[in-house]
Amino acid sequence: MRATSNIIAYLQAAPLMAVLATFLIAPIFMIVIVSFWGATEFSIYPAFQFDNYAFLFGSPVTYKVFFATFKYAFITWVFTLTIGFTVAYFLAFHVRTQTMQTALFLLCTIPFLTSNIIRMISWIPFLGRNGIANQALISWGIIDEPLEWLLYSDFSVILAFVHLYTLFMVVPIFNTMMRIDRSFIEAAYDNGASGLQTLWHVIIPLTKPGIMIGTIFVVTLVMGDFITVRFMSGSQKANVGRLISNDISLLQYPSAAATAVVLLVTVLLVIGILLRFVNIRKEL
């Protein structure tokens, strides 16, 4: 009887496994294979060689680019976590009616009805040398000349990342907070805990699964992004995504594949480290 139920379960899961194998596992497998191929200026050829990886790890540019990628990911994570936790906390504990919670949550999603590129490029006229921000600061007498670092800098790149990906932190944290039993919070107050103590010892530990899920979303999205760095830095900055994009534009597909494999392994290691802090499957 158990064997029959297992067979039925496998048959039910077969379509999903086929989709995953076709659209996830097979492409990754092909990228790994191509990463060992060789390339000339005008063509690529099948081979099994480690030249692409040797060049990748032997170049100091690689380490600078990976450092910049981690820097963008870490700073963006700090700001998205701060903003996302604050917004989720307000929606979950300070908005009393479910109707208002839904309305405010939908309000947060309105910018996502437009393209990422449009939302990102919308910062350019605001942050530019003759943009709204500089003109306002000059008119208020705060500065005498336009601030050059507002646009085409690390500041503009991180600002765009935070704008694009904060919602990916808000949603899982808000979802986790809504599942917290309010009797735990009442018990903390009954035992003399202050609001800050209740936040630190009750709410944050119970929200860890949502924080970890949001962290995984934000970190992986930032580390794989390349278009934001290109536009918001004026092509003056680089990350791993841009490195891959440049190799593809030069038809160096094996080199791009090798970089993609290293990036994938790096992201998986980061996710593995994050998952050691909380058992998401158990706590959800």
Side-chain angles (χ1 to χ4, degrees):
M1 190 67 180
R2 179 177 298 178
T4 303
S5 63
N6 289 338
I7 293 175
I8 294 175
Y10 286 135
L11 291 176
Q12 290 175 339
L16 177 60
M17 294 300 297
V19 171
L20 290 176
T22 303
F23 296 103
L24 179 64
I25 298 176
I28 293 176
F29 183 69
M30 287 302 302
I31 292 173
V32 173
I33 292 177
V34 173
S35 70
F36 292 101
W37 287 11
T40 64
E41 293 183 1
F42 306 103
S43 65
I44 61 176
Y45 54 90
F48 185 77
Q49 57 190 21
F50 294 91
D51 293 0
N52 298 312
Y53 291 99
F55 176 79
L56 186 64
F57 289 109
S59 173
V61 175
T62 301
Y63 301 98
K64 292 181 181 178
V65 169
F66 268 89
F67 175 79
T69 303
F70 277 109
K71 178 183 69 177
Y72 289 142
F74 176 75
I75 297 175
T76 303
W77 171 76
V78 170
F79 281 104
T80 55
L81 177 60
T82 303
I83 298 171
F85 188 91
T86 303
V87 172
Y89 182 85
F90 174 77
L91 292 176
F93 296 107
H94 290 278
V95 179
R96 300 301 180 185
T97 64
Q98 186 175 1
T99 302
M100 185 58 67
Q101 284 179 340
T102 304
L104 292 176
F105 183 78
L106 290 176
L107 184 65
C108 294
T109 64
I110 287 177
F112 286 79
L113 299 178
T114 60
S115 167
N116 272 15
I117 296 178
I118 294 175
R119 288 185 286 123
M120 173 185 59
I121 293 178
S122 65
W123 283 105
I124 295 178
F126 183 82
L127 299 174
R129 180 178 177 83
N130 297 316
I132 299 173
N134 273 317
Q135 293 302 316
L137 293 173
I138 292 174
S139 64
W140 294 339
I142 299 176
I143 58 175
D144 297 324
E145 57 184 18
L147 299 175
E148 301 288 348
W149 54 265
L150 288 181
L151 186 62
Y152 302 141
S153 62
D154 285 339
F155 171 81
S156 58
V157 172
I158 293 170
L159 179 64
F161 276 142
V162 173
H163 177 210
L164 292 174
Y165 300 134
T166 295
L167 189 64
F168 291 94
M169 189 69 78
V170 173
V171 173
I173 294 177
F174 173 71
N175 181 60
T176 306
M177 284 183 175
M178 291 301 295
R179 298 185 181 189
I180 295 176
D181 191 340
R182 296 307 190 264
S183 62
F184 292 156
I185 300 175
E186 294 175 1
Y189 284 127
D190 291 341
N191 283 277
S194 64
L196 184 60
Q197 289 174 326
T198 303
L199 175 66
W200 184 257
H201 295 288
V202 178
I203 297 177
I204 290 180
L206 294 176
T207 313
K208 283 197 300 183
I211 293 175
M212 286 300 113
I213 293 173
T215 299
I216 290 171
F217 282 154
V218 171
V219 169
T220 54
L221 287 170
V222 172
M223 292 188 70
D225 188 288
F226 71 94
I227 196 69
T228 303
V229 177
R230 176 184 176 185
F231 279 102
M232 298 307 295
S233 71
S235 296
Q236 299 178 36
K237 306 292 181 179
N239 65 343
V240 180
R242 281 213 63 200
L243 196 64
I244 297 172
S245 176
N246 290 341
D247 282 339
I248 292 175
S249 65
L250 296 173
L251 304 181
Q252 298 297 308
Y253 297 113
S255 178
T259 308
V261 170
V262 174
L263 176 61
L264 176 61
V265 172
T266 303
V267 171
L268 291 177
L269 288 174
V270 171
I271 294 175
I273 293 172
L274 292 174
L275 291 179
R276 291 185 65 87
F277 290 97
V278 58
N279 189 337
I280 295 177
R281 181 178 298 178
K282 178 181 178 180
E283 298 201 24
L284 289 179

